[in-house]
Amino acid sequence: MFLIVAFTACISFNSASAATFPALTAYDLNDKPFVFPDDIRGNPFVAVLAFSEAQGDEADRVLAIIAELAKTNTSIGYAGFPVIDNLGMIGRTFIDYSMSSDIEREDDRANIVTLYVERDDWLKAIEHTDVTQPYVVMLSSKGEIIQKVPS
């Protein structure tokens, strides 16, 4: 429920933040590269960040709502971003395989981009500290944070 309220707040308000998503290359669950900020598509682009497996169901619910909205408003872009502390190749492969095997449709797997990052440094860059709940942000095409919830 929190994320539904959070997404509504994101599309209702427009307060700028000084933070920008760091430039990086990550991979979706189809193993296709996603380059920040070049591959941000949509205006706005809504990113749903999850910081633990337990937050996955809630993040999935918000992504489903955004996907429905995107059917009638094609300018909306979106993706889910599990944020995971940097792991070795075996750990990454295991996690990505586990997540992708739960998602049947290729289009749905393309909207999940796993971020294997030095999490603390990455969170500082986006000016965020709370990892106890999922985090929803609206981004400009340059990766600038337009709105964030929780803020």
Side-chain angles (χ1 to χ4, degrees):
M1 183 65 176
F2 164 77
L3 281 182
I4 294 169
V5 173
F7 178 68
T8 304
C10 271
I11 61 175
S12 300
F13 301 103
N14 187 13
S15 65
S17 168
T20 300
F21 266 41
L24 60 85
T25 299
Y27 291 85
D28 68 22
L29 293 182
N30 293 321
D31 205 30
K32 300 260 190 303
F34 188 98
V35 180
F36 276 106
D38 299 346
D39 289 340
I40 290 177
R41 59 209 178 280
N43 184 22
F45 182 84
V46 181
V48 180
L49 306 179
F51 303 100
S52 71
E53 185 177 355
Q55 297 171 3
D57 289 342
E58 195 169 352
D60 289 345
R61 283 192 293 276
V62 169
L63 287 170
I65 292 167
I66 297 167
E68 283 300 312
L69 290 171
K71 287 179 182 177
T72 56
N73 183 346
T74 56
S75 67
I76 296 173
Y78 65 93
F81 296 93
V83 181
I84 301 169
D85 223 359
N86 216 353
L87 293 174
M89 185 59 73
I90 293 172
R92 289 179 184 206
T93 301
F94 176 77
I95 290 172
D96 287 344
Y97 177 78
S98 295
M99 285 191 294
S100 64
S101 65
D102 290 339
I103 302 172
E104 291 180 22
R105 294 185 53 235
E106 185 174 334
D107 289 347
D108 293 337
R109 288 191 306 269
N111 285 319
I112 305 294
V113 180
T114 312
L115 299 181
Y116 293 102
V117 294
E118 298 300 330
R119 193 164 84 165
D120 291 342
D121 294 339
W122 192 82
L123 290 169
K124 283 179 193 169
I126 66 167
E127 299 176 357
H128 185 69
T129 57
D130 181 14
V131 295
T132 63
Q133 57 191 339
Y135 182 55
V136 180
V137 296
M138 283 178 47
L139 301 172
S140 74
S141 61
K142 296 177 183 173
E144 301 158 326
I145 296 175
I146 298 167
Q147 179 66 38
K148 59 183 176 177
V149 177
S151 54

